[in-house]
Amino acid sequence: MYTKLKLLPAFRLKKIHVLTFGFFIGLWLLASSLQAQDGRNINLKNKNQISADWLVFKPAHNRLTLYLPDYHGPVNALYQWVYIRPEQPFRINFTAREGLCIFIDNQLIFTADSVASYEVDLTKLIINKPDALRQHLLCIWHPGGQLNYQTFRNAVLTPQEAAEIQVNIKPVSASISIQPKNIPNQNVFILFLLLIGLMYGSLRTTYTSDFYSIFRLNTFLRSSSLEEGFLAKPISSWSSILFVIAFSLSFALVIVAIHTNVQNNFIFNRLFLVSEADITSKIVFYTFLIFVFILVKYIFLRVMGIIFGLKQLVMTQYREFLRTTLFMGLFFPLIMLLYLVLNTANPQLVLFVSNIAVASILIFTVLRIFYTLNKKVSLRNLHLFSYICATEVIPLIILIKLIVFTY
């Protein structure tokens, strides 16, 4: 028999149900997102420019990699991808030695006949003139490796040329919704956030005693509560599975939001080739991955307990892991709210705060397990400390590496 627990006064909503409150917050965010996307004018930038980042060809890997002078040393050829808009000038100036050649798409367009400073317009020299903006491979080559690539700069346009460029660049129609590549469609995140609110609201209504035994603060602070309420049930019970699914979805939402800000660094893309726009598939995949991880965690602890001869600590450790993990999952929707509100204005700050928050939650969970086990058995025992490092510290380092440090 489980007695009905009362909420602390600080957490009680007197007239507004938690589910209704979360639902209206989600609708407000959805409306704000749609309003922000409507009527946005984006001016296309002039692409006729070179950068200071040059590439070098690696025959062993058959690809171009970033050129590092101290690492690669002198080379005969350097490359970079450039975008050429045919109706605009693409003037560059540089200092070259005799024999330096410039290629566009492997076609020779310029050869230096003496040591001098030059200024050329790539738009006029290009052989296969494109009808629209497209990508080309620019190459500079010298038989003796004397490239002087540091002198390659974009020429300063005359006021008349700059005025013509401003005339040619037209604002995008307000009826067309175009978003920057690194800012994903936030409506998916908002809808999943609403779904998480509905799930937690349903769990609070259906499994009231289990809900309060996890998310009540004074229960969370008591070590004796590990043998009560939700934690006394097996992980295979329906309530346990539903609570773990709700947490997995919350955590997956945060991970996908963080990794969507860092392009081409998704764990998912290392396993399956999915476009950046397919956010839903990533969220579902991460949810499944986290759910399986929590379930496999118990099997892993049982195996390590047998190896180290500490089977009596497995249930206490797993229950503390489950309690702390689910309780800290309440902070993930708050991180998502921060992401949705500030990501467009300051994505770098949101990325930094989100990474710090996720890392702090993971570290706090391990520290909480340390504290609980230390009250039962002293961690000064080197054998026990090795067991904790094998079951908690090493997995923590791996998780932080995969989730937070994406490079």
Side-chain angles (χ1 to χ4, degrees):
M1 294 295 293
Y2 301 101
T3 58
K4 185 175 181 180
L5 302 176
K6 296 182 179 179
L7 277 174
L8 291 175
F11 296 99
R12 184 183 296 123
L13 296 177
K14 294 182 179 179
K15 296 183 179 180
I16 304 177
H17 194 274
V18 176
L19 180 59
T20 307
F21 180 78
F23 182 77
F24 281 107
I25 287 292
L27 288 180
W28 173 76
L29 286 172
L30 181 60
S32 301
S33 176
L34 292 174
Q35 184 178 2
Q37 293 174 12
D38 189 18
R40 181 185 299 167
N41 289 333
I42 300 177
N43 290 329
L44 298 177
K45 295 182 179 179
N46 177 24
K47 295 294 184 180
N48 291 4
Q49 294 180 347
I50 62 172
S51 68
D53 298 327
W54 291 91
L55 306 173
V56 62
F57 180 69
K58 305 291 290 185
H61 303 283
N62 192 27
R63 67 178 182 180
L64 298 173
T65 59
L66 183 64
Y67 175 64
L68 303 174
D70 296 335
Y71 176 75
H72 295 100
V75 293
N76 293 80
L78 290 176
Y79 306 82
Q80 70 171 261
W81 292 102
V82 295
Y83 286 88
I84 299 181
R85 192 183 300 277
E87 72 275 7
Q88 297 177 8
F90 193 162
R91 299 212 319 269
I92 60 174
N93 51 46
F94 55 91
T95 301
R97 298 179 181 269
E98 182 180 359
L100 181 130
C101 301
I102 299 179
F103 297 83
I104 294 287
D105 296 334
N106 295 325
Q107 294 180 340
L108 179 65
I109 62 172
F110 172 83
T111 302
D113 53 5
S114 62
V115 178
S117 296
Y118 296 88
E119 181 173 303
V120 298
D121 189 344
L122 299 182
T123 303
K124 295 180 180 179
L125 295 178
I126 188 171
I127 299 176
N128 297 326
K129 298 185 180 299
D131 297 330
L133 175 69
R134 54 176 289 228
Q135 193 179 47
H136 299 267
L137 182 62
L138 171 66
C139 171
I140 57 175
W141 176 85
H142 191 277
Q146 300 172 342
L147 296 176
N148 292 336
Y149 66 94
Q150 301 94 335
T151 64
F152 278 77
R153 293 182 175 87
N154 296 293
V156 178
L157 301 180
T158 64
Q160 181 180 359
E161 291 172 337
E164 291 177 355
I165 292 175
Q166 293 299 326
V167 171
N168 291 334
I169 298 178
K170 299 180 181 179
V172 180
S173 173
S175 60
I176 302 177
S177 176
I178 298 181
Q179 298 177 346
K181 183 179 178 181
N182 63 333
I183 300 179
N185 185 3
Q186 295 185 350
N187 294 339
V188 178
F189 294 117
I190 296 174
L191 293 176
F192 272 100
L193 196 59
L194 286 174
L195 177 60
I196 292 172
L198 291 173
M199 292 180 66
Y200 276 114
S202 300
L203 290 172
R204 178 181 178 274
T205 303
T206 308
Y207 304 99
T208 306
S209 299
D210 292 345
F211 185 89
Y212 290 158
S213 66
I214 301 173
F215 301 114
R216 192 176 182 181
L217 184 59
N218 64 344
T219 306
F220 175 73
L221 298 177
R222 287 190 297 107
S223 299
S224 60
S225 61
L226 290 175
E227 309 292 336
E228 301 172 0
F230 168 81
L231 298 173
K233 295 183 178 181
I235 190 63
S236 59
S237 63
W238 270 111
S239 61
S240 301
I241 292 176
L242 293 176
F243 276 108
V244 173
I245 289 177
F247 167 81
S248 302
L249 183 58
S250 302
F251 199 4
L253 210 60
V254 174
I255 294 176
V256 174
I258 292 175
H259 284 184
T260 303
N261 267 14
V262 185
Q263 298 182 30
N264 302 324
N265 283 281
F266 302 99
I267 303 173
F268 188 82
N269 284 343
R270 298 174 186 174
L271 302 177
F272 303 98
L273 185 59
V274 177
S275 64
E276 183 177 332
D278 197 1
I279 301 174
T280 303
S281 298
K282 293 182 176 67
I283 294 175
V284 173
F285 174 77
Y286 278 121
T287 302
F288 173 77
L289 198 63
I290 296 169
F291 178 79
V292 172
F293 172 80
I294 293 176
L295 297 183
V296 172
K297 173 84 172 182
Y298 176 73
I299 302 176
F300 172 71
L301 292 179
R302 293 285 295 180
V303 173
M304 296 302 292
I306 295 174
I307 294 175
F308 282 85
L310 297 171
K311 294 187 291 183
Q312 68 277 11
L313 296 180
V314 170
M315 285 307 302
T316 302
Q317 183 179 356
Y318 185 72
R319 286 174 177 175
E320 184 59 62
F321 162 77
L322 198 60
R323 177 177 67 172
T324 307
T325 299
L326 296 181
F327 182 84
M328 300 304 292
L330 290 179
F331 294 96
F332 290 134
L334 299 180
I335 298 175
M336 282 306 305
L337 288 176
L338 175 68
Y339 173 86
L340 294 173
V341 172
L342 299 178
N343 184 59
T344 303
N346 198 341
Q348 294 298 328
L349 176 62
V350 173
L351 179 62
F352 176 76
V353 173
S354 301
N355 281 327
I356 293 298
V358 172
S360 301
I361 290 174
L362 294 175
I363 294 173
F364 176 80
T365 301
V366 174
L367 292 178
R368 177 73 179 180
I369 295 173
F370 263 81
Y371 173 76
T372 301
L373 293 182
N374 187 57
K375 293 183 66 176
K376 191 170 184 179
V377 180
S378 176
L379 294 182
R380 295 179 181 179
N381 187 311
L382 182 60
H383 182 70
L384 181 59
F385 185 79
S386 302
Y387 167 78
I388 296 298
C389 290
T391 56
E392 299 296 340
V393 177
I394 295 178
L396 170 68
I397 296 174
I398 296 174
L399 287 177
I400 292 180
K401 170 63 179 177
L402 293 177
I403 298 173
V404 178
F405 300 104
T406 52
Y407 290 98

